[in-house]
Amino acid sequence: MIQVFAMPCGVLEFDSKLFFPNLAQGELLTIPVPSYLITHPKGKVLFDTGMHCQTIHDPIGRLGEVARVFVPRTQPGQEIVAQLAQLRLTPDDITYVINSHFHFDHAGGNEFFPRSTFLVQQPELEAARDPVLRKKAFFDPKDFDHQLHYRPVSGEYDIFGDGSLVLLPTYGHTPGHQSLRIRVSKGMELVLTGDACYTKTNMDQDLLPAISFDAAEMRHSLGKLRDLRDKHGATIIYGHDPQQWQEMPHAPDPLV
Ligand SMILES: [Zn+2]
């Protein structure tokens, strides 16, 4: 049996125009920073590691000037290790960590998982190694450059070989962004979009955010995800949707 837990791993506050460039005037927007735990009979899988715990007390020290644009409002206990502890787990219990991508709010806790295998798309790893691309993609090596087991993945990847957890390449937001399709049971599929789609509004209005590495590719990925929702009946879990987040159960209660 597969279970999914939505873990609150912090909060960010910033100008809403960064998410919705069509707004005439930006207002302050507060978004959730989630990580997801998926329990599968063959192992436990984590989708993203949230922000580094230093962002709770010393955001500028950790993130630099970024923290003046994206202001962390995270409470103690929301960092990933504490969230796992709530479920009576430690990082060593996690077989696979998926990084949707290497931004600070998705890979900030990577360093706490030295025994796990990280599944990351090849173009994301290549960009992370290239000083020019790394800067263009807004990557900070502090998040991912540790002695960790990174396993490159190219395109779609069936993690356990049974179709239940499949990585989907959704490039564009970053060079090798990926999403995760979870077949919870027959006829019930969830898709964790990560930042390939921030909110339902972005998907409904085909609206790209201000931050994208390759806008054309991101639009293509957004279309693929919309098809999964509208043509295949998948339930979409958006990357940072305040309203959807408020309406869904959070750990320690299961999402499904
Ligand atoms: Zn994000």
Side-chain angles (χ1 to χ4, degrees):
M1 188 174 98
I2 287 175
Q3 278 196 305
V4 182
F5 297 86
M7 296 179 287
C9 288
V11 170
L12 286 169
E13 188 180 81
F14 52 89
D15 190 309
S16 56
K17 279 176 86 69
L18 291 164
F19 264 30
F20 311 112
N22 61 332
L23 293 180
Q25 189 155 17
E27 293 174 1
L28 270 188
L29 180 69
T30 303
I31 60 152
V33 175
S35 296
Y36 295 89
L37 172 75
I38 304 107
T39 61
H40 181 283
K42 288 188 181 161
K44 294 184 174 60
V45 178
L46 192 65
F47 184 85
D48 286 337
T49 62
M51 292 186 276
H52 193 275
C53 47
Q54 191 188 347
T55 59
I56 298 172
H57 301 294
D58 180 21
I60 299 280
R62 175 70 190 187
L63 304 174
E65 291 305 304
V66 171
R68 298 191 199 280
V69 179
F70 295 96
V71 181
R73 303 273 185 220
T74 306
Q75 301 298 315
Q78 292 185 317
E79 67 275 23
I80 185 63
V81 176
Q83 284 295 310
L84 288 174
Q86 266 210 345
L87 293 164
R88 299 178 187 281
L89 296 172
T90 72
D92 290 357
D93 294 315
I94 305 299
T95 308
Y96 293 113
V97 176
I98 299 162
N99 281 136
S100 63
H101 62 302
F102 276 155
H103 283 166
F104 72 93
D105 54 327
H106 298 263
N110 277 18
E111 68 178 271
F112 302 107
F113 295 85
R115 291 176 201 276
S116 308
T117 297
F118 283 75
L119 303 174
V120 181
Q121 291 284 327
Q122 178 81 29
E124 195 77 354
L125 287 168
E126 280 171 14
R129 287 190 209 109
D130 180 316
V132 176
L133 285 179
R134 188 160 72 202
K135 210 168 167 207
K136 194 178 165 217
F138 299 108
F139 292 166
D140 184 343
K142 279 207 295 285
D143 292 322
F144 52 80
D145 196 3
H146 304 280
Q147 284 300 318
L148 299 169
H149 309 292
Y150 285 109
R151 183 187 294 174
V153 169
S154 293
E156 279 199 19
Y157 180 75
D158 184 343
I159 297 176
F160 292 113
D162 62 0
S164 62
L165 294 177
V166 178
L167 294 170
L168 307 174
T170 45
Y171 302 167
H173 177 67
T174 58
H177 188 284
Q178 60 185 347
S179 305
L180 177 67
R181 196 191 72 205
I182 307 169
R183 190 162 290 154
V184 181
S185 57
K186 206 165 180 256
M188 187 188 183
E189 284 190 4
L190 292 185
V191 177
L192 307 181
T193 65
D195 286 1
C197 184
Y198 285 147
T199 71
K200 182 172 184 295
T201 304
N202 294 96
M203 184 173 279
D204 289 347
Q205 299 183 8
D206 197 29
L207 186 60
L208 294 191
I211 298 166
S212 75
F213 182 81
D214 182 328
E217 196 152 33
M218 190 171 182
R219 193 174 299 285
H220 176 71
S221 296
L222 184 57
K224 277 202 311 190
L225 292 168
R226 193 186 300 105
D227 281 353
L228 287 175
R229 182 186 73 173
D230 297 344
K231 296 184 182 163
H232 301 279
T235 299
I236 302 289
I237 307 293
Y238 304 97
H240 295 290
D241 190 317
Q243 194 179 337
Q244 185 187 44
W245 181 253
Q246 217 173 25
E247 292 165 359
M248 70 167 72
H250 304 151
D253 294 329
L255 175 62
V256 290

